[in-house]
Amino acid sequence: MTTAEPRLFVTGATGHLGRLVIAALLKRVPAGTIVAGVRSLESDGAKDLRARGVTLRIADYARPETLADAFRGIDRLLLISSSEIGRRVAQHRNVIEAARQSGLSRIAYTSLLRADTSPLALADEHRRTEDALKASGLSFTVLRNGWYTENYAASIAPALTHGAFLGCAGQGRIASAARADYAEAAAVVLTTDGHDGRLYELAGDDAYTLDEFAMAVSALSGKTVVYRNLAEAEFKAALVGAGLPEDFAALLADSDTAAAKGGLNDTSRQLSGLIGRPTTPYRTTITETITGLAARG
């Protein structure tokens, strides 16, 4: 590592998105320039990162005292939004304040597609975090991530079992992309210049309805799967009946309702422009999911 190479920090580095961001960074920069923020140094995810040559530091959103030390000597920081819905704003402000005090040169934040106008209930905490970034005086980049195709792929297994894919998105079109596509975009922003003050609306190149998604599952699996469009309350009840916590079920049902209003669609192709290639087709993610299910028996 040379002194000219910026040190890069990824918060939530053992999460689904964080692991993929680290993997994308390792293709671009030496492992010695990457610092991973984790809540435990002994988790399997943390041990895997250490084995790949990545530096580990404790960085807990809810424990501000861990953040100042974690960001010491860091040049560019990726703040991956907290998974603790309802507590995100306070936790994100902890990170932003510690970043401001550390004197780092740039912070990037994973927000939500069109957070300023989105009908999704999730958008409120993202809007407030974006406001905190604007007020911080830091140089920042906002990555407004759209839906991950994996969010719907997670329902493929029960859909194959019951022959039905449930939702309440109506004929709303969803421009999702693979989680790895968004991770690559974050890696690009962290490792290249020209992103200060930029706000990227990130989504997949192609959009689909859940009816089309179910037809693709059926065609690619060889099993009949139909889409059943429910009322929001019915969909939430079905999710709770399947064992999901009520708050999470409500969030998923709200997101589908917002998709019916266009909240998860976007035609700007800023994601593929940022990563320099087409986004991963949703049918590819469906195929990979079905293959994985078959391998597990």
Side-chain angles (χ1 to χ4, degrees), residues 211-237:
D211 188 42
E212 291 168 343
F213 191 92
M215 286 191 290
V217 171
S218 187
L220 294 167
S221 67
K223 298 181 180 180
T224 299
V225 175
V226 298
Y227 174 56
R228 288 182 55 201
N229 192 61
L230 307 175
E232 181 176 341
E234 290 179 296
F235 183 41
K236 175 188 170 184

PDB file of all heavy atoms in Angstrom, residues 211-237:
ATOM      1  N   ASP A 211     -46.714 -10.632 -11.799  1.00  0.00           N
ATOM      2  CA  ASP A 211     -47.306 -11.660 -12.654  1.00  0.00           C
ATOM      3  C   ASP A 211     -46.245 -12.199 -13.619  1.00  0.00           C
ATOM      4  O   ASP A 211     -46.112 -13.418 -13.807  1.00  0.00           O
ATOM      5  CB  ASP A 211     -48.486 -11.066 -13.429  1.00  0.00           C
ATOM      6  CG  ASP A 211     -49.272 -12.123 -14.191  1.00  0.00           C
ATOM      7  OD1 ASP A 211     -49.507 -13.215 -13.640  1.00  0.00           O
ATOM      8  OD2 ASP A 211     -49.644 -11.858 -15.351  1.00  0.00           O
ATOM      9  N   GLU A 212     -45.460 -11.303 -14.202  1.00  0.00           N
ATOM     10  CA  GLU A 212     -44.383 -11.716 -15.104  1.00  0.00           C
ATOM     11  C   GLU A 212     -43.295 -12.467 -14.343  1.00  0.00           C
ATOM     12  O   GLU A 212     -42.693 -13.417 -14.869  1.00  0.00           O
ATOM     13  CB  GLU A 212     -43.802 -10.500 -15.822  1.00  0.00           C
ATOM     14  CG  GLU A 212     -44.777  -9.879 -16.820  1.00  0.00           C
ATOM     15  CD  GLU A 212     -44.328  -8.525 -17.329  1.00  0.00           C
ATOM     16  OE1 GLU A 212     -43.442  -7.890 -16.692  1.00  0.00           O
ATOM     17  OE2 GLU A 212     -44.875  -8.085 -18.356  1.00  0.00           O
ATOM     18  N   PHE A 213     -43.014 -12.031 -13.123  1.00  0.00           N
ATOM     19  CA  PHE A 213     -42.020 -12.715 -12.299  1.00  0.00           C
ATOM     20  C   PHE A 213     -42.466 -14.153 -12.037  1.00  0.00           C
ATOM     21  O   PHE A 213     -41.678 -15.094 -12.178  1.00  0.00           O
ATOM     22  CB  PHE A 213     -41.844 -11.957 -10.976  1.00  0.00           C
ATOM     23  CG  PHE A 213     -40.672 -12.411 -10.152  1.00  0.00           C
ATOM     24  CD1 PHE A 213     -39.430 -11.806 -10.279  1.00  0.00           C
ATOM     25  CD2 PHE A 213     -40.805 -13.440  -9.218  1.00  0.00           C
ATOM     26  CE1 PHE A 213     -38.343 -12.214  -9.514  1.00  0.00           C
ATOM     27  CE2 PHE A 213     -39.727 -13.855  -8.442  1.00  0.00           C
ATOM     28  CZ  PHE A 213     -38.498 -13.239  -8.597  1.00  0.00           C
ATOM     29  N   ALA A 214     -43.741 -14.327 -11.675  1.00  0.00           N
ATOM     30  CA  ALA A 214     -44.263 -15.675 -11.410  1.00  0.00           C
ATOM     31  C   ALA A 214     -44.226 -16.532 -12.667  1.00  0.00           C
ATOM     32  O   ALA A 214     -43.897 -17.730 -12.607  1.00  0.00           O
ATOM     33  CB  ALA A 214     -45.683 -15.582 -10.864  1.00  0.00           C
ATOM     34  N   MET A 215     -44.544 -15.952 -13.825  1.00  0.00           N
ATOM     35  CA  MET A 215     -44.489 -16.702 -15.084  1.00  0.00           C
ATOM     36  C   MET A 215     -43.057 -17.148 -15.375  1.00  0.00           C
ATOM     37  O   MET A 215     -42.831 -18.258 -15.880  1.00  0.00           O
ATOM     38  CB  MET A 215     -45.043 -15.861 -16.228  1.00  0.00           C
ATOM     39  CG  MET A 215     -46.559 -15.724 -16.205  1.00  0.00           C
ATOM     40  SD  MET A 215     -47.233 -15.001 -17.737  1.00  0.00           S
ATOM     41  CE  MET A 215     -46.665 -13.313 -17.581  1.00  0.00           C
ATOM     42  N   ALA A 216     -42.081 -16.291 -15.057  1.00  0.00           N
ATOM     43  CA  ALA A 216     -40.683 -16.659 -15.263  1.00  0.00           C
ATOM     44  C   ALA A 216     -40.277 -17.800 -14.333  1.00  0.00           C
ATOM     45  O   ALA A 216     -39.567 -18.730 -14.744  1.00  0.00           O
ATOM     46  CB  ALA A 216     -39.778 -15.450 -15.047  1.00  0.00           C
ATOM     47  N   VAL A 217     -40.728 -17.745 -13.085  1.00  0.00           N
ATOM     48  CA  VAL A 217     -40.448 -18.835 -12.137  1.00  0.00           C
ATOM     49  C   VAL A 217     -41.025 -20.138 -12.679  1.00  0.00           C
ATOM     50  O   VAL A 217     -40.378 -21.196 -12.648  1.00  0.00           O
ATOM     51  CB  VAL A 217     -41.030 -18.508 -10.748  1.00  0.00           C
ATOM     52  CG1 VAL A 217     -40.927 -19.728  -9.826  1.00  0.00           C
ATOM     53  CG2 VAL A 217     -40.310 -17.320 -10.117  1.00  0.00           C
ATOM     54  N   SER A 218     -42.247 -20.068 -13.196  1.00  0.00           N
ATOM     55  CA  SER A 218     -42.904 -21.251 -13.744  1.00  0.00           C
ATOM     56  C   SER A 218     -42.137 -21.807 -14.936  1.00  0.00           C
ATOM     57  O   SER A 218     -41.854 -23.010 -15.020  1.00  0.00           O
ATOM     58  CB  SER A 218     -44.339 -20.882 -14.150  1.00  0.00           C
ATOM     59  OG  SER A 218     -45.069 -22.023 -14.531  1.00  0.00           O
ATOM     60  N   ALA A 219     -41.752 -20.917 -15.855  1.00  0.00           N
ATOM     61  CA  ALA A 219     -41.056 -21.361 -17.063  1.00  0.00           C
ATOM     62  C   ALA A 219     -39.685 -21.933 -16.753  1.00  0.00           C
ATOM     63  O   ALA A 219     -39.262 -22.934 -17.346  1.00  0.00           O
ATOM     64  CB  ALA A 219     -40.931 -20.185 -18.032  1.00  0.00           C
ATOM     65  N   LEU A 220     -38.975 -21.313 -15.821  1.00  0.00           N
ATOM     66  CA  LEU A 220     -37.599 -21.722 -15.540  1.00  0.00           C
ATOM     67  C   LEU A 220     -37.518 -22.934 -14.611  1.00  0.00           C
ATOM     68  O   LEU A 220     -36.495 -23.623 -14.579  1.00  0.00           O
ATOM     69  CB  LEU A 220     -36.823 -20.543 -14.942  1.00  0.00           C
ATOM     70  CG  LEU A 220     -36.616 -19.371 -15.909  1.00  0.00           C
ATOM     71  CD1 LEU A 220     -36.125 -18.127 -15.158  1.00  0.00           C
ATOM     72  CD2 LEU A 220     -35.618 -19.752 -16.999  1.00  0.00           C
ATOM     73  N   SER A 221     -38.571 -23.185 -13.861  1.00  0.00           N
ATOM     74  CA  SER A 221     -38.581 -24.326 -12.937  1.00  0.00           C
ATOM     75  C   SER A 221     -39.279 -25.544 -13.521  1.00  0.00           C
ATOM     76  O   SER A 221     -39.061 -26.674 -13.061  1.00  0.00           O
ATOM     77  CB  SER A 221     -39.274 -23.939 -11.631  1.00  0.00           C
ATOM     78  OG  SER A 221     -40.665 -23.707 -11.850  1.00  0.00           O
ATOM     79  N   GLY A 222     -40.141 -25.316 -14.531  1.00  0.00           N
ATOM     80  CA  GLY A 222     -40.928 -26.412 -15.071  1.00  0.00           C
ATOM     81  C   GLY A 222     -42.113 -26.767 -14.206  1.00  0.00           C
ATOM     82  O   GLY A 222     -42.788 -27.780 -14.433  1.00  0.00           O
ATOM     83  N   LYS A 223     -42.408 -25.932 -13.192  1.00  0.00           N
ATOM     84  CA  LYS A 223     -43.549 -26.154 -12.320  1.00  0.00           C
ATOM     85  C   LYS A 223     -44.524 -24.982 -12.457  1.00  0.00           C
ATOM     86  O   LYS A 223     -44.102 -23.837 -12.607  1.00  0.00           O
ATOM     87  CB  LYS A 223     -43.098 -26.272 -10.861  1.00  0.00           C
ATOM     88  CG  LYS A 223     -42.170 -27.453 -10.598  1.00  0.00           C
ATOM     89  CD  LYS A 223     -41.783 -27.514  -9.120  1.00  0.00           C
ATOM     90  CE  LYS A 223     -40.856 -28.702  -8.850  1.00  0.00           C
ATOM     91  NZ  LYS A 223     -40.461 -28.770  -7.413  1.00  0.00           N
ATOM     92  N   THR A 224     -45.800 -25.268 -12.395  1.00  0.00           N
ATOM     93  CA  THR A 224     -46.795 -24.222 -12.551  1.00  0.00           C
ATOM     94  C   THR A 224     -46.823 -23.323 -11.317  1.00  0.00           C
ATOM     95  O   THR A 224     -47.039 -23.795 -10.188  1.00  0.00           O
ATOM     96  CB  THR A 224     -48.195 -24.813 -12.773  1.00  0.00           C
ATOM     97  OG1 THR A 224     -48.172 -25.603 -13.965  1.00  0.00           O
ATOM     98  CG2 THR A 224     -49.236 -23.709 -12.924  1.00  0.00           C
ATOM     99  N   VAL A 225     -46.566 -22.036 -11.546  1.00  0.00           N
ATOM    100  CA  VAL A 225     -46.632 -21.031 -10.482  1.00  0.00           C
ATOM    101  C   VAL A 225     -47.437 -19.854 -11.024  1.00  0.00           C
ATOM    102  O   VAL A 225     -47.129 -19.327 -12.092  1.00  0.00           O
ATOM    103  CB  VAL A 225     -45.227 -20.547 -10.048  1.00  0.00           C
ATOM    104  CG1 VAL A 225     -45.334 -19.411  -9.023  1.00  0.00           C
ATOM    105  CG2 VAL A 225     -44.412 -21.696  -9.474  1.00  0.00           C
ATOM    106  N   VAL A 226     -48.469 -19.457 -10.308  1.00  0.00           N
ATOM    107  CA  VAL A 226     -49.286 -18.315 -10.722  1.00  0.00           C
ATOM    108  C   VAL A 226     -49.159 -17.208  -9.690  1.00  0.00           C
ATOM    109  O   VAL A 226     -48.850 -17.457  -8.516  1.00  0.00           O
ATOM    110  CB  VAL A 226     -50.771 -18.714 -10.886  1.00  0.00           C
ATOM    111  CG1 VAL A 226     -50.918 -19.771 -11.968  1.00  0.00           C
ATOM    112  CG2 VAL A 226     -51.346 -19.211  -9.561  1.00  0.00           C
ATOM    113  N   TYR A 227     -49.376 -15.987 -10.135  1.00  0.00           N
ATOM    114  CA  TYR A 227     -49.348 -14.849  -9.213  1.00  0.00           C
ATOM    115  C   TYR A 227     -50.741 -14.600  -8.658  1.00  0.00           C
ATOM    116  O   TYR A 227     -51.710 -14.489  -9.415  1.00  0.00           O
ATOM    117  CB  TYR A 227     -48.844 -13.595  -9.922  1.00  0.00           C
ATOM    118  CG  TYR A 227     -48.921 -12.344  -9.058  1.00  0.00           C
ATOM    119  CD1 TYR A 227     -48.303 -12.304  -7.809  1.00  0.00           C
ATOM    120  CD2 TYR A 227     -49.631 -11.218  -9.485  1.00  0.00           C
ATOM    121  CE1 TYR A 227     -48.376 -11.171  -7.008  1.00  0.00           C
ATOM    122  CE2 TYR A 227     -49.701 -10.077  -8.693  1.00  0.00           C
ATOM    123  CZ  TYR A 227     -49.078 -10.064  -7.463  1.00  0.00           C
ATOM    124  OH  TYR A 227     -49.161  -8.943  -6.669  1.00  0.00           O
ATOM    125  N   ARG A 228     -50.842 -14.515  -7.360  1.00  0.00           N
ATOM    126  CA  ARG A 228     -52.106 -14.186  -6.700  1.00  0.00           C
ATOM    127  C   ARG A 228     -51.976 -12.805  -6.086  1.00  0.00           C
ATOM    128  O   ARG A 228     -51.201 -12.600  -5.143  1.00  0.00           O
ATOM    129  CB  ARG A 228     -52.437 -15.215  -5.612  1.00  0.00           C
ATOM    130  CG  ARG A 228     -52.866 -16.578  -6.161  1.00  0.00           C
ATOM    131  CD  ARG A 228     -53.227 -17.512  -5.023  1.00  0.00           C
ATOM    132  NE  ARG A 228     -54.250 -16.917  -4.163  1.00  0.00           N
ATOM    133  CZ  ARG A 228     -54.469 -17.295  -2.898  1.00  0.00           C
ATOM    134  NH1 ARG A 228     -53.710 -18.229  -2.337  1.00  0.00           N
ATOM    135  NH2 ARG A 228     -55.406 -16.713  -2.187  1.00  0.00           N
ATOM    136  N   ASN A 229     -52.725 -11.861  -6.636  1.00  0.00           N
ATOM    137  CA  ASN A 229     -52.686 -10.486  -6.130  1.00  0.00           C
ATOM    138  C   ASN A 229     -53.732 -10.326  -5.028  1.00  0.00           C
ATOM    139  O   ASN A 229     -54.926 -10.551  -5.252  1.00  0.00           O
ATOM    140  CB  ASN A 229     -52.965  -9.499  -7.263  1.00  0.00           C
ATOM    141  CG  ASN A 229     -52.639  -8.080  -6.849  1.00  0.00           C
ATOM    142  OD1 ASN A 229     -51.495  -7.772  -6.526  1.00  0.00           O
ATOM    143  ND2 ASN A 229     -53.635  -7.216  -6.832  1.00  0.00           N
ATOM    144  N   LEU A 230     -53.269  -9.959  -3.848  1.00  0.00           N
ATOM    145  CA  LEU A 230     -54.127  -9.829  -2.682  1.00  0.00           C
ATOM    146  C   LEU A 230     -54.281  -8.369  -2.287  1.00  0.00           C
ATOM    147  O   LEU A 230     -53.504  -7.511  -2.727  1.00  0.00           O
ATOM    148  CB  LEU A 230     -53.533 -10.607  -1.504  1.00  0.00           C
ATOM    149  CG  LEU A 230     -53.171 -12.075  -1.738  1.00  0.00           C
ATOM    150  CD1 LEU A 230     -52.482 -12.643  -0.500  1.00  0.00           C
ATOM    151  CD2 LEU A 230     -54.415 -12.884  -2.079  1.00  0.00           C
ATOM    152  N   ALA A 231     -55.253  -8.088  -1.449  1.00  0.00           N
ATOM    153  CA  ALA A 231     -55.319  -6.783  -0.802  1.00  0.00           C
ATOM    154  C   ALA A 231     -54.147  -6.686   0.163  1.00  0.00           C
ATOM    155  O   ALA A 231     -53.629  -7.702   0.635  1.00  0.00           O
ATOM    156  CB  ALA A 231     -56.639  -6.624  -0.058  1.00  0.00           C
ATOM    157  N   GLU A 232     -53.714  -5.464   0.468  1.00  0.00           N
ATOM    158  CA  GLU A 232     -52.547  -5.291   1.338  1.00  0.00           C
ATOM    159  C   GLU A 232     -52.726  -6.006   2.673  1.00  0.00           C
ATOM    160  O   GLU A 232     -51.811  -6.689   3.148  1.00  0.00           O
ATOM    161  CB  GLU A 232     -52.278  -3.801   1.559  1.00  0.00           C
ATOM    162  CG  GLU A 232     -51.057  -3.544   2.426  1.00  0.00           C
ATOM    163  CD  GLU A 232     -50.720  -2.070   2.585  1.00  0.00           C
ATOM    164  OE1 GLU A 232     -51.192  -1.251   1.761  1.00  0.00           O
ATOM    165  OE2 GLU A 232     -49.976  -1.722   3.529  1.00  0.00           O
ATOM    166  N   ALA A 233     -53.912  -5.875   3.287  1.00  0.00           N
ATOM    167  CA  ALA A 233     -54.143  -6.514   4.588  1.00  0.00           C
ATOM    168  C   ALA A 233     -54.088  -8.032   4.469  1.00  0.00           C
ATOM    169  O   ALA A 233     -53.578  -8.718   5.368  1.00  0.00           O
ATOM    170  CB  ALA A 233     -55.490  -6.071   5.151  1.00  0.00           C
ATOM    171  N   GLU A 234     -54.607  -8.570   3.353  1.00  0.00           N
ATOM    172  CA  GLU A 234     -54.573 -10.024   3.140  1.00  0.00           C
ATOM    173  C   GLU A 234     -53.135 -10.517   2.974  1.00  0.00           C
ATOM    174  O   GLU A 234     -52.754 -11.565   3.509  1.00  0.00           O
ATOM    175  CB  GLU A 234     -55.382 -10.399   1.905  1.00  0.00           C
ATOM    176  CG  GLU A 234     -56.883 -10.242   2.032  1.00  0.00           C
ATOM    177  CD  GLU A 234     -57.578 -10.633   0.738  1.00  0.00           C
ATOM    178  OE1 GLU A 234     -57.347  -9.955  -0.284  1.00  0.00           O
ATOM    179  OE2 GLU A 234     -58.331 -11.627   0.758  1.00  0.00           O
ATOM    180  N   PHE A 235     -52.351  -9.757   2.216  1.00  0.00           N
ATOM    181  CA  PHE A 235     -50.958 -10.152   1.994  1.00  0.00           C
ATOM    182  C   PHE A 235     -50.184 -10.119   3.306  1.00  0.00           C
ATOM    183  O   PHE A 235     -49.425 -11.044   3.616  1.00  0.00           O
ATOM    184  CB  PHE A 235     -50.316  -9.242   0.957  1.00  0.00           C
ATOM    185  CG  PHE A 235     -48.902  -9.612   0.595  1.00  0.00           C
ATOM    186  CD1 PHE A 235     -48.524 -10.934   0.425  1.00  0.00           C
ATOM    187  CD2 PHE A 235     -47.936  -8.626   0.402  1.00  0.00           C
ATOM    188  CE1 PHE A 235     -47.220 -11.282   0.076  1.00  0.00           C
ATOM    189  CE2 PHE A 235     -46.632  -8.952   0.065  1.00  0.00           C
ATOM    190  CZ  PHE A 235     -46.280 -10.285  -0.094  1.00  0.00           C
ATOM    191  N   LYS A 236     -50.381  -9.063   4.084  1.00  0.00           N
ATOM    192  CA  LYS A 236     -49.718  -8.984   5.387  1.00  0.00           C
ATOM    193  C   LYS A 236     -50.109 -10.182   6.252  1.00  0.00           C
ATOM    194  O   LYS A 236     -49.246 -10.816   6.889  1.00  0.00           O
ATOM    195  CB  LYS A 236     -50.086  -7.679   6.089  1.00  0.00           C
ATOM    196  CG  LYS A 236     -49.519  -7.580   7.500  1.00  0.00           C
ATOM    197  CD  LYS A 236     -50.057  -6.378   8.260  1.00  0.00           C
ATOM    198  CE  LYS A 236     -49.659  -6.443   9.734  1.00  0.00           C
ATOM    199  NZ  LYS A 236     -50.252  -5.337  10.518  1.00  0.00           N
ATOM    200  N   ALA A 237     -51.392 -10.513   6.280  1.00  0.00           N
ATOM    201  CA  ALA A 237     -51.855 -11.638   7.098  1.00  0.00           C
ATOM    202  C   ALA A 237     -51.233 -12.951   6.631  1.00  0.00           C
ATOM    203  O   ALA A 237     -50.867 -13.808   7.444  1.00  0.00           O
ATOM    204  CB  ALA A 237     -53.378 -11.724   7.044  1.00  0.00           C
TER     205      ALA A 237
END
